[in-house]
Amino acid sequence: MPIQVLMPALSPTMEKGNLAKWLKKEGEPIKSGDVIAEIETDKATMEVEATDEGTLGKILIPEGTADVAVNTPIAMILADGENAADLAKAPAPAAKAAESAPPAEAKAEAPQPKAAAHPTAPTSVSEPEPEVPEGTEFITQTIREALRDAMAEEMRRDPDVFIMGEEVAEYQGAYKVTQNLLQEFGARRVIDTPITEHGFAGVGVGAAMTGLKPIVEFMTFNFAMQAIDQIINSAAKTLYMSGGQMGCSIVFRGPNGAAARVAAQHSQDYSAWYSQIPGLKVIAPFSAADYKGLLKAAIRDPNPVIFLENEVLYGHTGEVPKLDDYVVPIGKARVVRKGKDVTIVSWSMGMSYALKAAEELAKEGIEAEVVDLRTIRPMDTDTIIASVQKTGRAVTVEEGWQQSGVGAEVAARIMENAFDYLDAPVARVSGKDVPMPYAANLEKLALPSVAEVVAAAKAVCYR
């Protein structure tokens, strides 16, 4: 049967793009890895590589077509021995490809594939936060919606709160996290900045020193390396160096860590980097409710806060309490799945691997207790230790590198506070010790996997 070539995504948040150019013509032979087309958005251009061998049987979307939805079939590849007559065997059309594409060209959308490098986040079996009154109504929100609501609520509550960053206003945010904030609060409090992280981070720090409460959005924390002097030497150290006379209430937020095929310079995990610095608080949530509650807490905190989000998680949904003021305390971990055999400690995207692994382990009779740190600094050592005292075994999971990582800090605290309770050494599952590759297959190998977490848990259980 002919093979569909689907419109790829430049990032997990991309919904559509322009098919700029076809580099192969109908009837031409194709080998795996051949560049067959170019697609573009307002941010980037990407080559479409063939993943199968054969002949380009039919181009479904002509070059120059704008707003082609991700996962729309754009071409058909005929395998060896197939001919044009076999094109009729392709799946029946179910949806149009793009608003500007001719109706006759519209083809069925295939089921949306899961990102190869990241497992789907399983449903948590946790209990509601103690702060949530019994009988509270919950609403389903994406994480980007939870973040937007948190900022909007705090901006309504406190006129000193404002947000600044690249494309946060007119464009509604690079990841649509600041959607509709400009319309509600105006250009004075939702500020588009030039592409100069060092500059606008410094402006934010200065504003915080005068008593305002800036939220500084970095398009990615990789770009925050341009501003790291402002974050560490100015924001983090001001309270100490002024003898307590001057504070700096500021939130630095944006996506952190790997996304999907954005390569080495856009894929670093900065959890460990910032968590070493006295004067900073570092937050890395996983669930939609925690994203909302912890961002509200971060905005109210008198100290500078690093709020690490994850691009892959922005579109994930979760249950959020429908309360007038839902705030999650900073520095408190949460047991999201109870167990008795092994403790798995993680945070942010690592929780996806941890929860999925716990489900797999349960099938083999191993009940894993999963602890979501939520806050990296200050770290809730008590919750970790209480869990390890019960299970006697521990595994840490992170997408960042292992050396000097957050998992190493967790392991050290377990050794210092619960050594006599351990029945096995603490195991660490992490990203591999290499810069992040661009190729999808190598990226998958560089990141942790559910299988690695399962293997680590079985190893410490001597199974």
Side-chain angles (χ1 to χ4, degrees):
M1 181 177 291
I3 301 165
Q4 292 182 338
V5 179
L6 303 180
M7 181 69 171
L10 295 179
S11 76
T13 56
M14 174 179 159
E15 297 178 352
K16 57 188 178 181
N18 304 329
L19 205 161
K21 183 190 303 182
W22 281 103
L23 302 178
K24 294 283 187 178
K25 298 178 180 179
E26 290 184 2
E28 287 191 18
I30 291 175
K31 294 181 180 179
S32 179
D34 282 355
V35 178
I36 61 174
E38 290 182 356
I39 64 169
E40 60 184 21
T41 68
D42 59 339
K43 295 183 178 300
T45 299
M46 186 176 80
E47 297 174 336
V48 180
E49 296 180 2
T51 57
D52 299 278
E53 296 189 356
T55 302
L56 185 57
K58 187 173 179 59
I59 292 174
L60 303 176
I61 305 296
E63 64 180 43
T65 301
D67 296 334
V68 181
V70 169
N71 294 323
T72 297
I74 59 174
M76 304 291 292
I77 294 178
L78 296 171
D80 289 342
E82 293 181 330
N83 54 43
D86 293 306
L87 292 169
K89 300 177 184 178
K96 69 175 184 177
E99 294 177 5
S100 57
E105 300 283 7
K107 295 290 179 180
E109 282 196 18
Q112 185 166 341
K114 299 177 177 66
H118 299 279
T120 301
T123 303
S124 172
V125 296
S126 62
E127 296 297 319
E129 289 280 357
E131 298 86 353
V132 178
E134 188 176 349
T136 297
E137 180 185 353
F138 283 75
I139 58 174
T140 301
Q141 286 190 306
T142 63
I143 283 172
R144 64 165 55 88
E145 290 169 340
L147 288 166
R148 177 204 61 203
D149 285 359
M151 290 186 286
E153 289 174 14
E154 292 305 299
M155 290 173 77
R156 294 181 195 121
R157 175 180 174 271
D158 187 343
D160 288 337
V161 177
F162 68 97
I163 181 165
M164 62 190 300
E166 296 159 357
E167 299 186 342
V168 299
E170 296 291 343
Y171 191 69
Q172 309 279 308
Y175 304 99
K176 306 307 177 188
V177 174
T178 55
Q179 202 159 23
N180 299 323
L181 295 185
L182 175 64
Q183 286 73 14
E184 180 174 354
F185 300 102
R188 187 169 177 270
R189 297 180 66 193
V190 184
I191 304 168
D192 277 330
T193 66
I195 304 174
T196 168
E197 285 76 13
H198 181 79
F200 68 75
V203 170
V205 171
M209 289 177 177
T210 68
L212 297 177
K213 297 178 180 179
I215 305 167
V216 175
E217 177 181 306
F218 295 118
M219 193 176 293
T220 160
F221 261 93
N222 298 276
F223 301 159
M225 290 182 69
Q226 307 295 325
I228 204 163
D229 180 65
Q230 301 283 12
I231 295 169
I232 293 175
N233 279 330
S234 296
K237 298 177 182 177
T238 291
L239 186 66
Y240 172 77
M241 295 184 71
S242 68
Q245 298 179 74
M246 183 182 296
C248 189
S249 180
I250 187 170
V251 176
F252 300 99
R253 51 156 294 271
N256 170 67
R261 296 188 72 190
V262 292
Q265 293 175 326
H266 289 180
S267 297
Q268 286 189 200
D269 184 342
Y270 291 89
S271 305
W273 289 46
Y274 290 111
S275 68
Q276 191 187 28
I277 307 301
L280 291 179
K281 294 186 178 182
V282 182
I283 299 172
F286 173 67
S287 71
D290 287 343
Y291 266 97
K292 180 177 183 179
L294 282 165
L295 182 54
K296 286 171 67 71
I299 294 169
R300 298 181 190 186
D301 200 279
N303 302 284
V305 178
I306 303 294
F307 198 91
L308 301 174
E309 300 159 11
N310 186 280
E311 183 181 337
V312 175
L313 292 178
Y314 280 143
H316 286 206
T317 58
E319 299 297 304
V320 180
K322 191 176 181 181
L323 296 171
D324 291 336
D325 194 26
Y326 179 67
V327 181
V328 174
I330 295 174
K332 181 63 179 173
R334 182 184 182 199
V335 176
V336 300
R337 182 182 181 121
K338 294 187 180 297
K340 59 182 177 60
D341 298 319
V342 58
T343 298
I344 302 177
V345 182
S346 194
W347 55 95
S348 188
M349 190 64 197
M351 285 294 297
S352 187
Y353 306 100
L355 287 169
K356 189 67 175 179
E359 292 180 357
E360 294 300 314
L361 289 165
K363 297 174 184 177
E364 301 187 38
I366 299 174
E367 292 299 328
E369 180 151 296
V370 181
V371 177
D372 183 358
L373 285 183
R374 305 194 293 188
T375 302
I376 309 301
R377 183 185 183 103
M379 187 178 291
D380 184 1
T381 306
D382 291 345
T383 296
I384 300 169
I385 299 307
S387 179
V388 173
Q389 288 175 339
K390 178 171 67 171
T391 66
R393 299 170 175 87
V395 175
T396 67
V397 184
E398 62 187 312
E399 285 196 334
W401 294 308
Q402 195 166 98
Q403 179 165 326
S404 307
V406 179
E409 178 65 23
V410 172
R413 295 192 185 202
I414 292 171
M415 183 277 294
E416 291 169 348
N417 296 281
F419 180 80
D420 291 337
Y421 291 88
L422 287 174
D423 295 322
V426 177
R428 291 182 289 162
V429 178
S430 68
K432 309 309 182 291
D433 196 25
V434 294
M436 183 62 69
Y438 170 74
N441 58 332
L442 296 180
E443 180 185 57
K444 183 177 180 180
L445 293 172
L447 289 165
S449 69
V450 173
E452 289 172 343
V453 181
V454 170
K458 291 173 73 173
V460 299
C461 291
Y462 302 111
R463 294 279 292 274

